[in-house]
Amino acid sequence: LPMQQGASFELRINNVAINGVGWDSTIFRGASPLSGVVWIVYSSDNLLANFRTENSRAGILITGNNYNNLLFRYIKTTNHDRHFSWVEQNASFPITIPSIATENCYIIGGGTGFHFNEINGATMNTKYLGMRNVTMDGPTQVGIDAPLVWDNGRVIEVRGNRDFFDSIIINTNAPFMERAYEGFRSPEGFVEFHNNSFSLQSRGIGRFNIEADPMLDSYGRPRIGSPAIGPQYMRGYAGAVPPVPP
């Protein structure tokens, strides 16, 4: 992107796909690592896949008047202060499935992995993001900053909590808000390693959570014998990248 105020790649057309040839081959670069957003999505019913974002304060921002049915697949985001961010938006009815889905996305470094731009607080009508087969390696602020629904000072709902599966969170000092998981079916199938907080497993949160070295190779793929491989995961593995071939 050019060094100018507000420069971003923008998607404003419904029902189209932005499909690269792979996150190591199709690369969208911001103008400066300290400012700007690489991609801004204003539309709905879109697929964005198979590319990498870098060199910007924010990676992907979802906004617009009525976003729905957005899928981000096989995207690597690197060293953004906020990797994926979405603006608060409420429907006229309770939302029960993610309006934004991320699959096989790889977040490296930076600050916050998934950030909800909360303005007035979430409700049961607030649109949210779901996450499957994601690897987060090294975010320093928050891994998943999901919309929280409060009642008399207590979290009664985490928008998206039921839709976080089969992921790897490693090498992070990001804080963890335990009360965000009160009264919930918590995330399943997380592998955690070298995280500066008590693990989900030790807190009794979720099923099949493991605190162990996921044994990733230089491409982020679980090696044979990794705890990120097994039948407890929907696709047979956790994380963004399929296992090393046998």
Side-chain angles (χ1 to χ4, degrees):
L1 289 167
M3 289 290 293
Q4 66 185 52
Q5 184 71 24
S8 297
F9 298 100
E10 297 184 359
L11 179 56
R12 297 178 179 269
I13 304 170
N14 295 340
N15 297 295
V16 299
I18 305 296
N19 198 359
V21 297
W23 62 34
D24 290 325
S25 299
T26 302
I27 302 169
F28 295 97
R29 301 193 78 241
S32 165
L34 301 178
S35 64
V37 182
V38 179
W39 270 101
I40 303 179
V41 179
Y42 295 92
S43 47
S44 294
D45 302 301
N46 299 126
L47 166 70
L48 290 88
N50 295 300
F51 61 78
R52 181 165 90 234
T53 64
E54 61 183 34
N55 199 55
S56 183
R57 182 173 181 270
I60 297 173
L61 171 64
I62 297 100
T63 183
N65 294 325
N66 186 29
Y67 60 77
N68 280 296
N69 194 29
L70 297 172
L71 175 58
F72 299 87
R73 178 182 287 162
Y74 287 102
I75 294 176
K76 182 187 286 186
T77 55
T78 55
N79 297 314
H80 301 297
D81 181 63
R82 295 175 181 177
H83 290 261
F84 286 84
S85 185
W86 67 104
V87 173
E88 178 183 20
Q89 192 171 108
N90 293 304
S92 58
F93 50 86
I95 300 294
T96 58
I97 61 173
S99 300
I100 307 161
T102 53
E103 296 180 356
N104 296 85
C105 291
Y106 199 164
I107 288 172
I108 298 176
T112 299
F114 297 96
H115 175 69
F116 172 60
N117 282 336
E118 184 173 356
I119 300 173
N120 300 315
T123 71
M124 298 301 290
N125 294 10
T126 297
K127 296 177 181 180
Y128 62 91
L129 176 147
M131 184 184 86
R132 294 176 185 268
N133 290 100
V134 166
T135 298
M136 281 185 276
D137 187 352
T140 59
Q141 296 176 23
V142 181
I144 305 167
D145 182 15
L148 307 181
V149 182
W150 295 85
D151 182 31
N152 293 323
R154 182 167 185 234
V155 174
I156 60 168
E157 167 73 278
V158 182
R159 306 267 63 204
N161 179 267
R162 299 168 184 265
D163 297 278
F164 298 155
F165 292 96
D166 298 358
S167 295
I168 296 173
I169 304 175
I170 57 175
N171 303 321
T172 177
N173 293 320
F176 178 81
M177 182 188 287
E178 185 170 4
R179 61 185 175 179
Y181 294 91
E182 291 179 359
F184 269 88
R185 175 189 140 197
S186 300
E188 300 184 41
F190 275 65
V191 176
E192 304 174 271
F193 187 62
H194 282 176
N195 296 337
N196 188 27
S197 64
F198 291 110
S199 68
L200 290 174
Q201 183 185 51
S202 68
R203 297 169 190 263
I205 294 173
R207 302 171 56 213
F208 306 128
N209 293 318
I210 296 170
E211 187 174 21
D213 184 351
M215 298 169 55
L216 305 181
D217 70 4
S218 60
Y219 298 98
R221 303 176 300 187
R223 295 188 177 99
I224 301 303
S226 167
I229 302 173
Q232 66 268 37
Y233 305 114
M234 183 172 294
R235 295 177 181 170
Y237 65 94
V241 188
V244 175

